[in-house]
Amino acid sequence: MADFLDLIVFVILMVVGYTAGRMAERRHYRSILAREQELGGVMVFSNRFPPLSGVRGQALVAGSVVISEDYFKRVVSGIQSIFGGRLRSYESLLDRARREAVLRMKEEARGKGSRMIVNVKFQTFSIPGRNPRSYGAVEVMAYGTALTQA
Amino acid sequence: MLISNLEIIPGSRIVKHLGLVQGSTVRSKHVGKDIMAGLKNIVGGELKGYTDLLKEARQEATDRMVQQAKGIGANAVLNVRFSTSSITQGAAEMLAYGTAVVLE
C-alpha cells in the first residue's frame, strides 16, 4: 500500500513537473526573445580591450540569475545519464540562464546610459542543496564593463 | 573609486600599481527560502530568493575589496574578477579580486 502511494506521488510530481516546467520554460523563452529585441541597441563584446578613443565613462555592470530545474527534468536527466550523451533538458536550462543574465546586465548598462559592454565574462555555479539529491539549481552571472561614448 | 574589469582605462594613465586586493563573503541560505526553493525544484523556474542572495553577496564582496583598496591608497581597482565556490552544503562564498592602482 505504501509503495502504491509512493508511486502515485511520483506520478503526480512527474506530471506537475512536466506541465509547469514546460509552461515556465516557454514563458521564459518568450520573455527572453522580446527583451532581446528591445535591448538590441546595447552591444556586447568579449574583447579585453576597449576602443581607445571616444570613450567618456565606464562602469562595472553585472547580471545574475538562479534557475531551478523541474522534477521531470531531474528524473529524465537521471535516466539519460546512465547512457551518457546529450542532456537536452539541462542544455536549455543553461541557455535560458545565460541569456537572462546577459539581458539583466544589458538592462543595467542601459540604465547607466551605455550602449556598449566590453570584456564580458561568464561565471556558472551550481548551488548545492542540503540533501545531495536536491541538486538542480544553476546560477549564471555575466559581468563586463559598460562604456559610455563621448 | 573606479572599479572595472578592464586592464586599461581609456584616456587615463596608471601612475602606480599597488597589487592585488580582494574581498569575500560567505552566505548561507535562509530556511524559509530553502523551503520555497524546494517547492520550486518541482515546478522549475527562477529562484528569486537566491538571485537576490547572490546579488547581495556580490555587492558585499565588492564593497570589501573597495575598502581594502582605499586602505592602501588606491583610487581605482582594475581587472576585477568574481569567483564563487561552495564551502559546505547550503553555503556559498563570493570572492571579488582585482588590481589596485593609482590613476592620474
Side-chain angles (χ1 to χ4, degrees), chain A residues 69 74 126-137, chain B residues 26-39 41 47 50 53 86-92:
Chain A
E69 61 176 357
R74 179 153 66 243
S126 81
I127 293 173
R130 277 191 210 288
N131 122 36
R133 280 170 58 208
S134 75
Y135 265 81
Chain B
V26 179
R27 293 283 167 120
S28 161
K29 297 182 291 189
H30 185 275
V31 180
K33 280 177 185 162
D34 207 25
I35 293 168
M36 278 306 292
L39 291 177
N41 253 319
L47 305 176
Y50 282 2
L53 187 82
S86 63
I87 299 183
T88 57
Q89 286 186 357

PDB file of all heavy atoms in Angstrom, chain A residues 69 74 126-137, chain B residues 26-39 41 47 50 53 86-92:
ATOM      1  N   GLU A  69      15.788  23.595 -12.006  1.00  0.00           N
ATOM      2  CA  GLU A  69      15.207  22.614 -12.930  1.00  0.00           C
ATOM      3  C   GLU A  69      13.876  22.148 -12.332  1.00  0.00           C
ATOM      4  O   GLU A  69      13.566  22.450 -11.185  1.00  0.00           O
ATOM      5  CB  GLU A  69      16.152  21.432 -13.061  1.00  0.00           C
ATOM      6  CG  GLU A  69      16.346  20.769 -11.713  1.00  0.00           C
ATOM      7  CD  GLU A  69      17.197  19.534 -11.733  1.00  0.00           C
ATOM      8  OE1 GLU A  69      17.624  19.121 -12.804  1.00  0.00           O
ATOM      9  OE2 GLU A  69      17.404  18.988 -10.652  1.00  0.00           O
ATOM     10  N   ARG A  74      14.719  16.474 -13.801  1.00  0.00           N
ATOM     11  CA  ARG A  74      15.668  15.798 -12.925  1.00  0.00           C
ATOM     12  C   ARG A  74      15.614  14.289 -13.144  1.00  0.00           C
ATOM     13  O   ARG A  74      16.640  13.632 -13.272  1.00  0.00           O
ATOM     14  CB  ARG A  74      15.382  16.149 -11.467  1.00  0.00           C
ATOM     15  CG  ARG A  74      16.329  15.463 -10.516  1.00  0.00           C
ATOM     16  CD  ARG A  74      16.556  16.199  -9.220  1.00  0.00           C
ATOM     17  NE  ARG A  74      15.362  16.277  -8.400  1.00  0.00           N
ATOM     18  CZ  ARG A  74      14.762  17.398  -8.060  1.00  0.00           C
ATOM     19  NH1 ARG A  74      15.223  18.544  -8.489  1.00  0.00           N
ATOM     20  NH2 ARG A  74      13.702  17.387  -7.316  1.00  0.00           N
ATOM     21  N   SER A 126      26.787  25.931  -9.598  1.00  0.00           N
ATOM     22  CA  SER A 126      25.605  25.151  -9.226  1.00  0.00           C
ATOM     23  C   SER A 126      25.464  25.195  -7.712  1.00  0.00           C
ATOM     24  O   SER A 126      26.440  25.078  -6.977  1.00  0.00           O
ATOM     25  CB  SER A 126      25.715  23.727  -9.741  1.00  0.00           C
ATOM     26  OG  SER A 126      26.504  22.970  -8.899  1.00  0.00           O
ATOM     27  N   ILE A 127      24.262  25.405  -7.273  1.00  0.00           N
ATOM     28  CA  ILE A 127      24.033  25.579  -5.849  1.00  0.00           C
ATOM     29  C   ILE A 127      23.744  24.248  -5.186  1.00  0.00           C
ATOM     30  O   ILE A 127      22.817  23.544  -5.568  1.00  0.00           O
ATOM     31  CB  ILE A 127      22.864  26.553  -5.628  1.00  0.00           C
ATOM     32  CG1 ILE A 127      23.319  27.925  -6.107  1.00  0.00           C
ATOM     33  CG2 ILE A 127      22.444  26.590  -4.178  1.00  0.00           C
ATOM     34  CD1 ILE A 127      22.236  28.923  -6.102  1.00  0.00           C
ATOM     35  N   PRO A 128      24.559  23.898  -4.214  1.00  0.00           N
ATOM     36  CA  PRO A 128      24.348  22.609  -3.578  1.00  0.00           C
ATOM     37  C   PRO A 128      23.154  22.648  -2.624  1.00  0.00           C
ATOM     38  O   PRO A 128      22.967  23.609  -1.892  1.00  0.00           O
ATOM     39  CB  PRO A 128      25.634  22.371  -2.807  1.00  0.00           C
ATOM     40  CG  PRO A 128      26.231  23.696  -2.602  1.00  0.00           C
ATOM     41  CD  PRO A 128      25.711  24.615  -3.639  1.00  0.00           C
ATOM     42  N   GLY A 129      22.362  21.624  -2.665  1.00  0.00           N
ATOM     43  CA  GLY A 129      21.214  21.542  -1.762  1.00  0.00           C
ATOM     44  C   GLY A 129      21.626  20.889  -0.458  1.00  0.00           C
ATOM     45  O   GLY A 129      22.723  20.361  -0.336  1.00  0.00           O
ATOM     46  N   ARG A 130      20.749  20.940   0.523  1.00  0.00           N
ATOM     47  CA  ARG A 130      21.061  20.311   1.794  1.00  0.00           C
ATOM     48  C   ARG A 130      21.111  18.798   1.649  1.00  0.00           C
ATOM     49  O   ARG A 130      21.886  18.118   2.278  1.00  0.00           O
ATOM     50  CB  ARG A 130      19.993  20.667   2.834  1.00  0.00           C
ATOM     51  CG  ARG A 130      20.294  21.993   3.433  1.00  0.00           C
ATOM     52  CD  ARG A 130      19.443  22.264   4.635  1.00  0.00           C
ATOM     53  NE  ARG A 130      19.240  23.703   4.749  1.00  0.00           N
ATOM     54  CZ  ARG A 130      20.185  24.541   5.109  1.00  0.00           C
ATOM     55  NH1 ARG A 130      21.389  24.127   5.380  1.00  0.00           N
ATOM     56  NH2 ARG A 130      19.922  25.827   5.175  1.00  0.00           N
ATOM     57  N   ASN A 131      20.218  18.308   0.806  1.00  0.00           N
ATOM     58  CA  ASN A 131      20.236  16.872   0.608  1.00  0.00           C
ATOM     59  C   ASN A 131      20.815  16.624  -0.778  1.00  0.00           C
ATOM     60  O   ASN A 131      20.511  17.327  -1.724  1.00  0.00           O
ATOM     61  CB  ASN A 131      18.817  16.342   0.895  1.00  0.00           C
ATOM     62  CG  ASN A 131      18.163  15.610  -0.232  1.00  0.00           C
ATOM     63  OD1 ASN A 131      18.809  14.888  -0.988  1.00  0.00           O
ATOM     64  ND2 ASN A 131      16.872  15.811  -0.367  1.00  0.00           N
ATOM     65  N   PRO A 132      21.755  15.683  -0.874  1.00  0.00           N
ATOM     66  CA  PRO A 132      22.528  15.526  -2.099  1.00  0.00           C
ATOM     67  C   PRO A 132      21.662  15.284  -3.337  1.00  0.00           C
ATOM     68  O   PRO A 132      22.098  15.534  -4.454  1.00  0.00           O
ATOM     69  CB  PRO A 132      23.401  14.317  -1.817  1.00  0.00           C
ATOM     70  CG  PRO A 132      23.295  14.028  -0.385  1.00  0.00           C
ATOM     71  CD  PRO A 132      22.118  14.730   0.161  1.00  0.00           C
ATOM     72  N   ARG A 133      20.446  14.809  -3.133  1.00  0.00           N
ATOM     73  CA  ARG A 133      19.604  14.528  -4.303  1.00  0.00           C
ATOM     74  C   ARG A 133      18.935  15.784  -4.832  1.00  0.00           C
ATOM     75  O   ARG A 133      18.353  15.771  -5.898  1.00  0.00           O
ATOM     76  CB  ARG A 133      18.543  13.482  -3.946  1.00  0.00           C
ATOM     77  CG  ARG A 133      19.125  12.073  -3.980  1.00  0.00           C
ATOM     78  CD  ARG A 133      18.143  11.094  -3.386  1.00  0.00           C
ATOM     79  NE  ARG A 133      16.870  11.102  -4.070  1.00  0.00           N
ATOM     80  CZ  ARG A 133      15.722  10.788  -3.503  1.00  0.00           C
ATOM     81  NH1 ARG A 133      15.690  10.454  -2.245  1.00  0.00           N
ATOM     82  NH2 ARG A 133      14.611  10.807  -4.200  1.00  0.00           N
ATOM     83  N   SER A 134      18.971  16.856  -4.031  1.00  0.00           N
ATOM     84  CA  SER A 134      18.237  18.028  -4.466  1.00  0.00           C
ATOM     85  C   SER A 134      19.107  19.040  -5.223  1.00  0.00           C
ATOM     86  O   SER A 134      18.845  20.215  -5.222  1.00  0.00           O
ATOM     87  CB  SER A 134      17.568  18.716  -3.284  1.00  0.00           C
ATOM     88  OG  SER A 134      18.539  19.400  -2.532  1.00  0.00           O
ATOM     89  N   TYR A 135      20.158  18.576  -5.865  1.00  0.00           N
ATOM     90  CA  TYR A 135      20.920  19.440  -6.765  1.00  0.00           C
ATOM     91  C   TYR A 135      19.986  19.876  -7.869  1.00  0.00           C
ATOM     92  O   TYR A 135      19.042  19.203  -8.169  1.00  0.00           O
ATOM     93  CB  TYR A 135      22.065  18.657  -7.402  1.00  0.00           C
ATOM     94  CG  TYR A 135      23.354  18.801  -6.675  1.00  0.00           C
ATOM     95  CD1 TYR A 135      23.609  18.046  -5.557  1.00  0.00           C
ATOM     96  CD2 TYR A 135      24.308  19.717  -7.111  1.00  0.00           C
ATOM     97  CE1 TYR A 135      24.796  18.180  -4.879  1.00  0.00           C
ATOM     98  CE2 TYR A 135      25.498  19.844  -6.437  1.00  0.00           C
ATOM     99  CZ  TYR A 135      25.742  19.074  -5.316  1.00  0.00           C
ATOM    100  OH  TYR A 135      26.911  19.211  -4.653  1.00  0.00           O
ATOM    101  N   GLY A 136      20.272  20.949  -8.480  1.00  0.00           N
ATOM    102  CA  GLY A 136      19.430  21.262  -9.619  1.00  0.00           C
ATOM    103  C   GLY A 136      19.092  22.716  -9.756  1.00  0.00           C
ATOM    104  O   GLY A 136      18.102  23.063 -10.360  1.00  0.00           O
ATOM    105  N   ALA A 137      19.876  23.593  -9.139  1.00  0.00           N
ATOM    106  CA  ALA A 137      19.710  24.996  -9.449  1.00  0.00           C
ATOM    107  C   ALA A 137      21.040  25.472  -9.984  1.00  0.00           C
ATOM    108  O   ALA A 137      22.090  25.031  -9.531  1.00  0.00           O
ATOM    109  CB  ALA A 137      19.328  25.784  -8.208  1.00  0.00           C
TER     110      ALA A 137
ATOM    111  N   VAL B  26      30.799  34.954   2.829  1.00  0.00           N
ATOM    112  CA  VAL B  26      30.169  33.633   2.792  1.00  0.00           C
ATOM    113  C   VAL B  26      28.718  33.801   3.219  1.00  0.00           C
ATOM    114  O   VAL B  26      28.437  34.372   4.262  1.00  0.00           O
ATOM    115  CB  VAL B  26      30.878  32.636   3.730  1.00  0.00           C
ATOM    116  CG1 VAL B  26      30.184  31.295   3.687  1.00  0.00           C
ATOM    117  CG2 VAL B  26      32.323  32.470   3.337  1.00  0.00           C
ATOM    118  N   ARG B  27      27.831  33.349   2.376  1.00  0.00           N
ATOM    119  CA  ARG B  27      26.411  33.499   2.687  1.00  0.00           C
ATOM    120  C   ARG B  27      25.756  32.136   2.780  1.00  0.00           C
ATOM    121  O   ARG B  27      26.094  31.228   2.031  1.00  0.00           O
ATOM    122  CB  ARG B  27      25.711  34.290   1.561  1.00  0.00           C
ATOM    123  CG  ARG B  27      26.153  35.716   1.467  1.00  0.00           C
ATOM    124  CD  ARG B  27      25.508  36.524   2.549  1.00  0.00           C
ATOM    125  NE  ARG B  27      26.141  37.812   2.658  1.00  0.00           N
ATOM    126  CZ  ARG B  27      25.509  38.963   2.496  1.00  0.00           C
ATOM    127  NH1 ARG B  27      24.237  38.990   2.200  1.00  0.00           N
ATOM    128  NH2 ARG B  27      26.150  40.095   2.646  1.00  0.00           N
ATOM    129  N   SER B  28      24.813  32.057   3.658  1.00  0.00           N
ATOM    130  CA  SER B  28      24.072  30.808   3.775  1.00  0.00           C
ATOM    131  C   SER B  28      22.620  31.059   3.410  1.00  0.00           C
ATOM    132  O   SER B  28      22.130  32.180   3.496  1.00  0.00           O
ATOM    133  CB  SER B  28      24.189  30.307   5.203  1.00  0.00           C
ATOM    134  OG  SER B  28      23.173  29.385   5.462  1.00  0.00           O
ATOM    135  N   LYS B  29      21.954  30.008   3.050  1.00  0.00           N
ATOM    136  CA  LYS B  29      20.551  30.151   2.677  1.00  0.00           C
ATOM    137  C   LYS B  29      19.674  30.289   3.906  1.00  0.00           C
ATOM    138  O   LYS B  29      19.976  29.771   4.968  1.00  0.00           O
ATOM    139  CB  LYS B  29      20.101  28.930   1.879  1.00  0.00           C
ATOM    140  CG  LYS B  29      20.830  28.777   0.601  1.00  0.00           C
ATOM    141  CD  LYS B  29      20.327  27.600  -0.180  1.00  0.00           C
ATOM    142  CE  LYS B  29      20.671  26.293   0.482  1.00  0.00           C
ATOM    143  NZ  LYS B  29      20.383  25.152  -0.359  1.00  0.00           N
ATOM    144  N   HIS B  30      18.599  30.966   3.721  1.00  0.00           N
ATOM    145  CA  HIS B  30      17.599  31.183   4.740  1.00  0.00           C
ATOM    146  C   HIS B  30      16.673  29.961   4.726  1.00  0.00           C
ATOM    147  O   HIS B  30      16.380  29.442   3.650  1.00  0.00           O
ATOM    148  CB  HIS B  30      16.861  32.437   4.281  1.00  0.00           C
ATOM    149  CG  HIS B  30      15.860  32.953   5.208  1.00  0.00           C
ATOM    150  ND1 HIS B  30      14.590  32.483   5.222  1.00  0.00           N
ATOM    151  CD2 HIS B  30      15.940  33.947   6.113  1.00  0.00           C
ATOM    152  CE1 HIS B  30      13.914  33.178   6.116  1.00  0.00           C
ATOM    153  NE2 HIS B  30      14.720  34.072   6.665  1.00  0.00           N
ATOM    154  N   VAL B  31      16.257  29.493   5.881  1.00  0.00           N
ATOM    155  CA  VAL B  31      15.441  28.266   5.904  1.00  0.00           C
ATOM    156  C   VAL B  31      14.152  28.447   5.085  1.00  0.00           C
ATOM    157  O   VAL B  31      13.774  27.580   4.309  1.00  0.00           O
ATOM    158  CB  VAL B  31      15.087  27.852   7.352  1.00  0.00           C
ATOM    159  CG1 VAL B  31      14.254  26.599   7.350  1.00  0.00           C
ATOM    160  CG2 VAL B  31      16.344  27.619   8.149  1.00  0.00           C
ATOM    161  N   GLY B  32      13.505  29.598   5.268  1.00  0.00           N
ATOM    162  CA  GLY B  32      12.268  29.862   4.518  1.00  0.00           C
ATOM    163  C   GLY B  32      12.490  29.825   3.023  1.00  0.00           C
ATOM    164  O   GLY B  32      11.733  29.207   2.275  1.00  0.00           O
ATOM    165  N   LYS B  33      13.600  30.462   2.608  1.00  0.00           N
ATOM    166  CA  LYS B  33      13.924  30.486   1.184  1.00  0.00           C
ATOM    167  C   LYS B  33      14.224  29.088   0.683  1.00  0.00           C
ATOM    168  O   LYS B  33      13.921  28.735  -0.448  1.00  0.00           O
ATOM    169  CB  LYS B  33      15.135  31.382   0.942  1.00  0.00           C
ATOM    170  CG  LYS B  33      14.797  32.847   0.916  1.00  0.00           C
ATOM    171  CD  LYS B  33      16.045  33.680   0.745  1.00  0.00           C
ATOM    172  CE  LYS B  33      15.724  35.156   0.849  1.00  0.00           C
ATOM    173  NZ  LYS B  33      16.921  35.954   1.115  1.00  0.00           N
ATOM    174  N   ASP B  34      14.847  28.299   1.568  1.00  0.00           N
ATOM    175  CA  ASP B  34      15.214  26.947   1.188  1.00  0.00           C
ATOM    176  C   ASP B  34      13.972  26.097   0.939  1.00  0.00           C
ATOM    177  O   ASP B  34      13.933  25.293   0.016  1.00  0.00           O
ATOM    178  CB  ASP B  34      16.056  26.341   2.311  1.00  0.00           C
ATOM    179  CG  ASP B  34      16.993  25.272   1.796  1.00  0.00           C
ATOM    180  OD1 ASP B  34      17.325  25.339   0.598  1.00  0.00           O
ATOM    181  OD2 ASP B  34      17.379  24.400   2.575  1.00  0.00           O
ATOM    182  N   ILE B  35      12.948  26.304   1.775  1.00  0.00           N
ATOM    183  CA  ILE B  35      11.706  25.546   1.594  1.00  0.00           C
ATOM    184  C   ILE B  35      11.044  25.961   0.279  1.00  0.00           C
ATOM    185  O   ILE B  35      10.629  25.112  -0.515  1.00  0.00           O
ATOM    186  CB  ILE B  35      10.753  25.766   2.794  1.00  0.00           C
ATOM    187  CG1 ILE B  35      11.364  25.142   4.047  1.00  0.00           C
ATOM    188  CG2 ILE B  35       9.379  25.158   2.515  1.00  0.00           C
ATOM    189  CD1 ILE B  35      10.690  25.531   5.339  1.00  0.00           C
ATOM    190  N   MET B  36      10.998  27.265   0.035  1.00  0.00           N
ATOM    191  CA  MET B  36      10.437  27.756  -1.218  1.00  0.00           C
ATOM    192  C   MET B  36      11.208  27.184  -2.409  1.00  0.00           C
ATOM    193  O   MET B  36      10.624  26.789  -3.407  1.00  0.00           O
ATOM    194  CB  MET B  36      10.510  29.295  -1.272  1.00  0.00           C
ATOM    195  CG  MET B  36       9.408  29.995  -0.549  1.00  0.00           C
ATOM    196  SD  MET B  36       7.782  29.460  -1.077  1.00  0.00           S
ATOM    197  CE  MET B  36       7.766  30.132  -2.746  1.00  0.00           C
ATOM    198  N   ALA B  37      12.529  27.149  -2.262  1.00  0.00           N
ATOM    199  CA  ALA B  37      13.356  26.628  -3.345  1.00  0.00           C
ATOM    200  C   ALA B  37      13.065  25.147  -3.566  1.00  0.00           C
ATOM    201  O   ALA B  37      13.067  24.666  -4.688  1.00  0.00           O
ATOM    202  CB  ALA B  37      14.830  26.844  -3.031  1.00  0.00           C
ATOM    203  N   GLY B  38      12.791  24.430  -2.477  1.00  0.00           N
ATOM    204  CA  GLY B  38      12.445  23.016  -2.583  1.00  0.00           C
ATOM    205  C   GLY B  38      11.182  22.822  -3.409  1.00  0.00           C
ATOM    206  O   GLY B  38      11.098  21.922  -4.240  1.00  0.00           O
ATOM    207  N   LEU B  39      10.219  23.716  -3.188  1.00  0.00           N
ATOM    208  CA  LEU B  39       8.976  23.645  -3.967  1.00  0.00           C
ATOM    209  C   LEU B  39       9.240  24.006  -5.426  1.00  0.00           C
ATOM    210  O   LEU B  39       8.753  23.348  -6.344  1.00  0.00           O
ATOM    211  CB  LEU B  39       7.925  24.607  -3.395  1.00  0.00           C
ATOM    212  CG  LEU B  39       7.352  24.236  -2.033  1.00  0.00           C
ATOM    213  CD1 LEU B  39       6.392  25.303  -1.560  1.00  0.00           C
ATOM    214  CD2 LEU B  39       6.640  22.894  -2.109  1.00  0.00           C
ATOM    215  N   ASN B  41      11.838  23.536  -6.982  1.00  0.00           N
ATOM    216  CA  ASN B  41      12.572  22.455  -7.621  1.00  0.00           C
ATOM    217  C   ASN B  41      11.658  21.446  -8.291  1.00  0.00           C
ATOM    218  O   ASN B  41      12.091  20.634  -9.085  1.00  0.00           O
ATOM    219  CB  ASN B  41      13.425  21.730  -6.576  1.00  0.00           C
ATOM    220  CG  ASN B  41      14.881  22.049  -6.739  1.00  0.00           C
ATOM    221  OD1 ASN B  41      15.356  22.099  -7.872  1.00  0.00           O
ATOM    222  ND2 ASN B  41      15.581  22.279  -5.664  1.00  0.00           N
ATOM    223  N   LEU B  47      14.670  31.058  -9.089  1.00  0.00           N
ATOM    224  CA  LEU B  47      14.647  31.122  -7.628  1.00  0.00           C
ATOM    225  C   LEU B  47      15.030  32.548  -7.236  1.00  0.00           C
ATOM    226  O   LEU B  47      16.205  32.862  -7.077  1.00  0.00           O
ATOM    227  CB  LEU B  47      15.634  30.123  -7.032  1.00  0.00           C
ATOM    228  CG  LEU B  47      15.472  28.667  -7.467  1.00  0.00           C
ATOM    229  CD1 LEU B  47      16.570  27.805  -6.882  1.00  0.00           C
ATOM    230  CD2 LEU B  47      14.123  28.122  -7.023  1.00  0.00           C
ATOM    231  N   TYR B  50      17.265  33.283  -4.172  1.00  0.00           N
ATOM    232  CA  TYR B  50      18.683  33.011  -4.366  1.00  0.00           C
ATOM    233  C   TYR B  50      19.331  34.061  -5.235  1.00  0.00           C
ATOM    234  O   TYR B  50      20.493  34.419  -5.011  1.00  0.00           O
ATOM    235  CB  TYR B  50      18.874  31.638  -5.022  1.00  0.00           C
ATOM    236  CG  TYR B  50      18.723  30.485  -4.086  1.00  0.00           C
ATOM    237  CD1 TYR B  50      18.392  30.696  -2.758  1.00  0.00           C
ATOM    238  CD2 TYR B  50      18.938  29.192  -4.516  1.00  0.00           C
ATOM    239  CE1 TYR B  50      18.249  29.632  -1.903  1.00  0.00           C
ATOM    240  CE2 TYR B  50      18.804  28.122  -3.663  1.00  0.00           C
ATOM    241  CZ  TYR B  50      18.459  28.346  -2.360  1.00  0.00           C
ATOM    242  OH  TYR B  50      18.336  27.300  -1.515  1.00  0.00           O
ATOM    243  N   LEU B  53      20.002  36.849  -3.021  1.00  0.00           N
ATOM    244  CA  LEU B  53      21.059  36.480  -2.088  1.00  0.00           C
ATOM    245  C   LEU B  53      22.433  36.640  -2.731  1.00  0.00           C
ATOM    246  O   LEU B  53      23.354  37.225  -2.155  1.00  0.00           O
ATOM    247  CB  LEU B  53      20.860  35.030  -1.653  1.00  0.00           C
ATOM    248  CG  LEU B  53      21.752  34.502  -0.551  1.00  0.00           C
ATOM    249  CD1 LEU B  53      21.193  34.929   0.787  1.00  0.00           C
ATOM    250  CD2 LEU B  53      21.853  32.999  -0.598  1.00  0.00           C
ATOM    251  N   SER B  86      31.490  26.730  -3.434  1.00  0.00           N
ATOM    252  CA  SER B  86      30.612  26.252  -2.370  1.00  0.00           C
ATOM    253  C   SER B  86      31.478  25.630  -1.294  1.00  0.00           C
ATOM    254  O   SER B  86      32.411  24.892  -1.575  1.00  0.00           O
ATOM    255  CB  SER B  86      29.614  25.243  -2.921  1.00  0.00           C
ATOM    256  OG  SER B  86      30.288  24.131  -3.398  1.00  0.00           O
ATOM    257  N   ILE B  87      31.192  25.982  -0.079  1.00  0.00           N
ATOM    258  CA  ILE B  87      32.035  25.541   1.016  1.00  0.00           C
ATOM    259  C   ILE B  87      31.439  24.309   1.668  1.00  0.00           C
ATOM    260  O   ILE B  87      32.040  23.248   1.722  1.00  0.00           O
ATOM    261  CB  ILE B  87      32.184  26.670   2.051  1.00  0.00           C
ATOM    262  CG1 ILE B  87      32.839  27.850   1.347  1.00  0.00           C
ATOM    263  CG2 ILE B  87      33.003  26.212   3.227  1.00  0.00           C
ATOM    264  CD1 ILE B  87      33.112  28.980   2.221  1.00  0.00           C
ATOM    265  N   THR B  88      30.233  24.465   2.178  1.00  0.00           N
ATOM    266  CA  THR B  88      29.531  23.304   2.709  1.00  0.00           C
ATOM    267  C   THR B  88      28.162  23.303   2.055  1.00  0.00           C
ATOM    268  O   THR B  88      27.844  24.202   1.300  1.00  0.00           O
ATOM    269  CB  THR B  88      29.320  23.409   4.227  1.00  0.00           C
ATOM    270  OG1 THR B  88      28.608  24.615   4.481  1.00  0.00           O
ATOM    271  CG2 THR B  88      30.616  23.409   4.970  1.00  0.00           C
ATOM    272  N   GLN B  89      27.342  22.355   2.403  1.00  0.00           N
ATOM    273  CA  GLN B  89      26.002  22.332   1.850  1.00  0.00           C
ATOM    274  C   GLN B  89      25.245  23.552   2.336  1.00  0.00           C
ATOM    275  O   GLN B  89      25.248  23.864   3.518  1.00  0.00           O
ATOM    276  CB  GLN B  89      25.288  21.066   2.291  1.00  0.00           C
ATOM    277  CG  GLN B  89      25.801  19.869   1.546  1.00  0.00           C
ATOM    278  CD  GLN B  89      25.013  18.636   1.862  1.00  0.00           C
ATOM    279  OE1 GLN B  89      24.109  18.664   2.685  1.00  0.00           O
ATOM    280  NE2 GLN B  89      25.344  17.553   1.215  1.00  0.00           N
ATOM    281  N   GLY B  90      24.639  24.241   1.415  1.00  0.00           N
ATOM    282  CA  GLY B  90      23.817  25.376   1.802  1.00  0.00           C
ATOM    283  C   GLY B  90      24.562  26.673   2.029  1.00  0.00           C
ATOM    284  O   GLY B  90      23.959  27.649   2.419  1.00  0.00           O
ATOM    285  N   ALA B  91      25.870  26.694   1.789  1.00  0.00           N
ATOM    286  CA  ALA B  91      26.596  27.951   1.935  1.00  0.00           C
ATOM    287  C   ALA B  91      27.483  28.173   0.721  1.00  0.00           C
ATOM    288  O   ALA B  91      28.019  27.226   0.149  1.00  0.00           O
ATOM    289  CB  ALA B  91      27.449  27.937   3.196  1.00  0.00           C
ATOM    290  N   ALA B  92      27.621  29.425   0.343  1.00  0.00           N
ATOM    291  CA  ALA B  92      28.433  29.732  -0.826  1.00  0.00           C
ATOM    292  C   ALA B  92      29.328  30.920  -0.527  1.00  0.00           C
ATOM    293  O   ALA B  92      28.963  31.819   0.214  1.00  0.00           O
ATOM    294  CB  ALA B  92      27.548  30.035  -2.026  1.00  0.00           C
TER     295      ALA B  92
END
